[in-house]
């Protein structure tokens, strides 16, 4: 865990509900799959948001406006200073990837895959990325991921763009390992459909975000684990589905 | 390093300052030690432990209450008192040299006795804080803290198995906290800690369901500070016992206010969750606040509002 002040460089809409914020501040040691916890004025708890990218003092996050905190974030302008906890959570295990890893993202589960894909491409891997959205208007980051050199497939539930269906309807024939982030029903479907070993990132309501309150504990095959500290990334079938 | 202006004594236990992280908001110190050297604390109250290991309540067990605080329904997740003694306390000892407050919960009188008797043998544990006020478990916890007779019974039972100072941690979810406090005093308690969380609720209006899976949970944070302060003051005026004041404390000024109401030491809870360095920041700010109000030693202000 680290705590620091970050200054907003840019805050812009990617779709009707999804925004991207770039912040200047310490990005040392931030790994793909980790998250930050953002203190906001007039709200008691911090808001956990995945790291989309962290490079040379610029931190990028992508968030969907769903409630009070994210609605407030949308209104913040360049120059605003925010108090962040960073380097939170375990992050993805890149050593497992193999030559052709599969990255699966649904909705605002897509952002953390960007930094992961970037690092994997840098290591010379050839990731295939499958993104799932409800409809064409909600698609974001397909081009950015393709620009990294990944093969990108898009699915929409209503068929308005890419393949009609869910990420599990567009899986490649072969892949060495998978990484997934998205809503729980998507993670469950992936658990049933994927043929390789893999890992998935979970979300839970958090008190602290750094392991002290045990507000976020899930049952796993290896005992109780905190999503914020021992996760948010867990191996496939590690978390016991209740 | 210790600034003796801040020193206080709780039942013979000398603390460098009155600031103690409240049980359940500091784990067993390890994660917080990543943020700062926790040896600046007066003491530390670790996550409540019980006879058996517990998972606690189903998720979600956290809800926000705007800027006023939060609700938790963790339900005493802990590895059980034996594991705490075997693993957590030795690990804590490696990073923390100060006296420890052991927070204990139970579901029967025997449970309380069992855990207290074991923790009595731990040298670094200098105070037993007996939680009879957890709102998040059924048939236990708060049930003992809402009747003077039951509170007295737990007090007597625990006193029988330990020579360490016993502090009973009281629930605010009662009509007359003074009656409970007096019952504990008469039963031999060495001190009191108050308050635990207040029973609360939030509803997700879109899903039309309670946010907390367990429906209700314990409300804490800045919103409960005035209530905690009032209760500390009522109890301070009605008993002779030293009090650890707790509830909504987030600044050095809050600590001073709690002590003026009658607390000898102060616990900081939910504030740790949003600002990991909350306790350190408070301790660092205390001398300046004392200067501002023209007070030399913090100890001198304990219960000042009750002296007339
Ligand atoms: C590890 C992690 C990574 C995340 N990454 C992203 C991301 O990259 N982009 C993104 O858009 N969202 C992400 N989320 C979800 C995001 O935290 C919530 O959407 C956000 O907290 C909602 O805040 P709010 O004030 O707008 O909503 P409100 O409903 O007003 O929030 C009330 C409370 O509930 C909590 N809460 C509400 N929904 C969620 C949720 N789904 N998960 C956890 N807590 C919630 C809030 O943090 C707050 O404490 C992530 C969550 C976690 C746990
Ligand atoms: C997440 C959380 C867990 C808690 N767990 C315990 C516990 O195990 N034992 C206990 O006596 N009190 C527990 N409490 C209560 C606190 O110690 C404290 O009494 C209460 O939160 C009021 O203080 P605050 O307003 O500063 O948070 C917990 C509180 C929170 C927020
Ligand atoms: S949110 Fe506090 S332990 Fe995970």
């Amino acid at each position: 865990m680290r705590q620091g002040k970050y200054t907003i460089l840019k805050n812009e809409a990617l779709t009707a509900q999804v925004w991207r914020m770039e912040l200047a501040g310490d990005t040392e040691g931030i790994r793909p799959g980790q998250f930050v916890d953002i203190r906001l004025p007039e709200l008691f708890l911090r808001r956990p948001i995945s790291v989309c990218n962290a490079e040379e003092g610029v931190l990028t996050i992508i968030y969907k406006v769903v409630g009070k905190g994210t609605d407030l974030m949308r209104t913040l302008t360049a120059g605003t200073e925010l108090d962040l906890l960073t380097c939170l959570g375990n992050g993805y295990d890149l050593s497992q990837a193999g030559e052709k890893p599969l990255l699966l993202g649904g909705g605002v589960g897509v952002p953390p895959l960007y930094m992961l894909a970037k690092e994997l491409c840098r290591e010379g891997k050839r990731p295939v990325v499958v993104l799932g959205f409800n409809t064409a208007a909600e698609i974001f980051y397909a081009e950015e991921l393709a620009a990294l050199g990944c093969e990108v497939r898009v699915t929409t539930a209503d068929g308005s763009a890419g393949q009609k269906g869910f990420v599990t309807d567009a899986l490649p024939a072969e892949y060495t390992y998978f990484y997934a982030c998205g809503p729980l029903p998507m993670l469950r479907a992936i658990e049933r459909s994927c043929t390789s070993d893999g890992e998935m990132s979970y979300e839970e309501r958090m008190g602290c975000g750094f392991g002290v309150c045990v507000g976020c504990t899930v049952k796993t095959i290896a005992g109780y684990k905190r999503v914020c500290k021992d996760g948010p990334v867990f191996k496939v079938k590690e978390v016991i589905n209740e | 390093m210790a600034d003796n202006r801040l020193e206080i004594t709780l039942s013979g236990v000398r603390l460098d300052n009155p600031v103690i992280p409240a049980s359940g908001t500091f784990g067993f110190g390890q994660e917080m030690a990543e943020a700062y050297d926790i040896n600046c604390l007066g003491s530390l109250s670790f996550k409540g432990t019980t006879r058996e290991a517990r998972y606690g309540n189903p998720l979600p067990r956290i809800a926000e209450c705007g800027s006023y605080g939060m609700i938790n329904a963790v339900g005493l997740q802990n590895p059980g008192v034996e594991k705490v003694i075997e693993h957590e306390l030795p690990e804590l000892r490696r990073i923390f040299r100060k006296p420890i407050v052991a927070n204990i919960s139970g579901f029967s009188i025997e449970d309380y006795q069992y855990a207290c008797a074991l923790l009595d043998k731990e040298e670094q544990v200098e105070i037993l804080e007996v939680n009879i006020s957890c709102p998040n478990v059924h048939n236990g916890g708060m049930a003992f803290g809402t009747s003077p007779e039951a509170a007295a019974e737990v007090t007597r039972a625990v006193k029988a198995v330990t020579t360490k100072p016993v502090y009973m941690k009281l629930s605010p979810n009662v009509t007359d906290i003074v009656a409970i406090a007096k019952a504990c005093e008469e039963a031999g308690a060495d001190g009191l800690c108050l308050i635990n969380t207040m029973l609360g609720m939030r509803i997700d209006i879109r899903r039309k369901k309670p946010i907390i899976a367990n429906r209700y949970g314990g409300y804490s944070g800045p919103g409960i500070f005035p209530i905690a302060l009032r209760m500390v003051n009522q109890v301070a005026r009605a008993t002779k016992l030293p009090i650890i004041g707790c509830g909504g404390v987030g600044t050095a000024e809050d600590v001073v206010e709690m002590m003026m109401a009658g607390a000898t030491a102060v616990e900081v809870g939910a504030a740790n969750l949003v600002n990991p360095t909350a306790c350190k920041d408070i301790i660092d700010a205390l001398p300046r606040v004392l200067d501002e109000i023209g007070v030399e030693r913090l100890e001198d202000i304990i219960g000042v509002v009750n002296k007339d």
Side-chain angles (χ1 to χ4, degrees):
Chain A
M1 176 201 358
R2 291 205 193 171
Q3 186 169 12
K5 297 269 184 255
Y6 290 74
T7 308
I8 298 177
L9 297 171
K10 254 195 223 162
N11 191 19
E12 60 197 359
L14 295 180
T15 72
Q17 283 177 307
V18 175
W19 289 61
R20 174 174 58 193
M21 187 185 279
E22 284 179 13
L23 301 123
D26 184 13
T27 50
E28 191 65 32
I30 298 179
R31 296 194 307 270
Q34 288 189 318
F35 66 98
V36 298
D37 219 355
I38 308 175
R39 188 97 198 246
L40 294 168
E42 301 303 314
L43 291 172
F44 190 69
L45 295 177
R46 290 173 182 267
R47 296 301 189 265
I49 303 286
S50 305
V51 172
C52 171
N53 197 19
E55 199 168 26
E56 290 167 8
V58 179
L59 172 73
T60 308
I61 55 172
I62 293 181
Y63 59 96
K64 183 174 180 182
V65 176
V66 296
K68 271 197 216 161
T70 46
D71 193 45
L72 193 145
M73 281 169 67
R74 187 177 54 85
T75 66
L76 300 175
T77 52
T80 308
E81 198 180 66
L82 292 174
D83 172 353
L84 264 65
L85 301 180
T86 61
C87 297
L88 298 175
N90 55 354
Y92 296 112
D93 182 357
L94 275 75
S95 71
Q96 301 292 316
E99 275 317 297
K100 199 180 170 199
L102 171 63
L103 278 53
L104 302 155
V108 279
V110 173
L113 300 183
Y114 181 81
M115 186 169 177
L116 174 65
K118 193 187 71 178
E119 302 271 316
L120 291 170
C121 289
R122 197 174 278 165
E123 288 178 5
K125 308 290 164 70
R126 293 174 297 113
V128 178
V129 185
V130 185
L131 306 179
F133 298 97
N134 289 316
T135 184
E138 293 180 11
I139 297 172
F140 65 90
Y141 261 52
E143 282 156 29
E144 284 81 351
L145 282 156
L148 292 173
C150 306
E151 176 192 334
V152 178
R153 304 179 178 193
V154 172
T155 65
T156 52
D158 67 357
S160 52
Q163 183 168 337
K164 181 172 163 57
F166 305 104
V167 289
T168 43
D169 296 319
L171 300 179
E174 273 174 47
Y175 46 93
T176 44
Y177 189 76
F178 75 83
Y179 299 92
C181 184
L184 207 52
M186 177 188 124
L187 298 184
R188 294 295 167 238
I190 290 169
E191 241 169 7
R192 289 190 299 270
S193 310
C194 280
T195 48
S196 76
D197 199 2
E199 54 193 65
M200 344 205 255
S201 185
Y202 284 76
E203 267 185 18
E204 194 44 67
R205 283 182 185 249
M206 295 184 170
C208 63
F210 49 90
V212 294
C213 76
V214 293
C216 65
T217 311
V218 289
K219 292 181 183 167
T220 75
I221 50 171
Y224 306 148
K225 292 193 176 180
R226 296 157 299 182
V227 170
C228 70
K229 183 82 181 175
D230 309 308
V233 182
F234 294 99
K235 293 285 279 187
V236 59
K237 297 196 172 127
E238 184 178 355
V239 173
I240 298 166
N241 188 8
E242 287 195 319
Chain B
M1 271 240 306
D3 182 343
N4 66 3
R5 294 177 72 187
L6 304 185
E7 198 175 288
I8 55 101
T9 306
L10 271 180
S11 304
V13 181
R14 207 193 53 76
L15 303 183
D16 289 338
N17 64 66
V19 179
I20 307 172
S23 177
T25 63
F26 216 79
F28 290 84
Q30 299 300 331
E31 297 78 14
M32 289 299 192
E34 287 179 33
Y36 65 98
D37 180 359
I38 61 174
N39 285 296
C40 67
L41 301 170
S43 172
L44 181 169
S45 176
F46 62 63
K47 174 65 191 170
T49 188
T50 50
R51 183 172 188 162
E52 316 282 353
R54 288 178 53 83
Y55 168 69
N57 292 320
L59 302 172
R61 47 197 200 186
I62 301 285
E64 188 180 56
C65 307
S67 61
Y68 306 111
M70 60 181 284
I71 290 177
N72 92 81
V74 169
L76 296 173
Q77 183 193 327
N78 83 95
V81 65
E82 264 112 7
K83 273 266 169 56
V84 164
I85 289 172
E86 210 175 285
H87 182 258
E88 267 72 19
L89 288 184
E91 288 294 310
L92 177 54
R93 200 169 299 134
R94 288 166 44 168
I95 55 167
F96 190 59
R97 305 181 292 273
K98 298 293 185 74
I100 293 172
V101 174
N103 185 282
I104 299 139
S105 256
F107 297 86
S108 67
I109 299 282
E110 295 71 37
D111 281 0
Y112 280 107
Q113 281 190 311
Y114 184 86
C116 288
L118 288 181
L119 286 159
D120 176 68
K121 299 196 191 75
E122 291 300 300
E123 202 184 327
Q124 201 177 353
V125 169
E126 297 207 31
I127 290 178
L128 301 184
E129 181 177 84
V130 181
N131 177 8
I132 50 169
S133 43
C134 182
N136 292 321
V137 293
H138 299 289
N139 311 315
M142 198 168 83
F144 291 104
T146 49
S147 121
E149 294 75 30
E153 201 186 342
V154 179
T155 309
R156 272 192 298 274
V158 170
K159 280 296 287 179
V161 298
T162 181
T163 52
K164 298 201 166 165
V166 169
Y167 278 58
M168 303 304 288
K169 183 160 176 184
L170 305 187
S171 171
N173 305 304
V174 294
T175 37
D176 185 3
I177 196 162
V178 169
I180 314 268
K182 280 183 157 166
C184 292
E185 182 175 39
E186 278 156 27
D190 299 280
L192 300 168
C193 173
L194 58 146
I195 58 177
N196 206 316
T197 54
M198 305 197 66
L199 209 50
M201 179 180 192
R202 293 305 305 267
I203 293 170
D204 180 335
I205 61 168
R206 284 173 201 86
R207 286 175 51 247
K208 305 180 181 68
K209 288 201 169 113
I211 292 178
I212 298 283
N214 215 25
R215 189 170 283 260
Y216 311 126
Y219 173 38
S220 73
I224 70 167
F225 180 72
I227 298 162
L229 194 72
R230 181 264 295 175
M231 289 188 159
V232 165
N233 191 246
Q234 284 179 318
V235 171
R237 288 157 55 108
T239 76
K240 295 196 172 55
L241 296 180
I243 296 170
I244 302 176
C246 178
V249 173
T251 64
E253 285 83 355
D254 295 343
V255 169
V256 168
E257 213 174 325
M258 266 292 181
M259 293 182 72
M260 286 185 169
T264 300
V266 175
E267 286 185 1
V268 178
N272 293 303
L273 308 186
V274 290
N275 177 18
T277 58
C279 286
K280 181 187 182 332
D281 296 347
I282 291 173
I283 295 164
D284 290 346
L286 272 170
R288 178 185 53 74
V289 176
L290 289 189
D291 288 343
E292 266 170 36
I293 59 173
V295 169
E296 182 48 39
R297 287 168 43 84
L298 196 49
E299 210 160 31
D300 298 338
I301 65 166
I302 299 170
V304 283
V305 300
N306 306 330
K307 285 177 185 146
D308 50 32

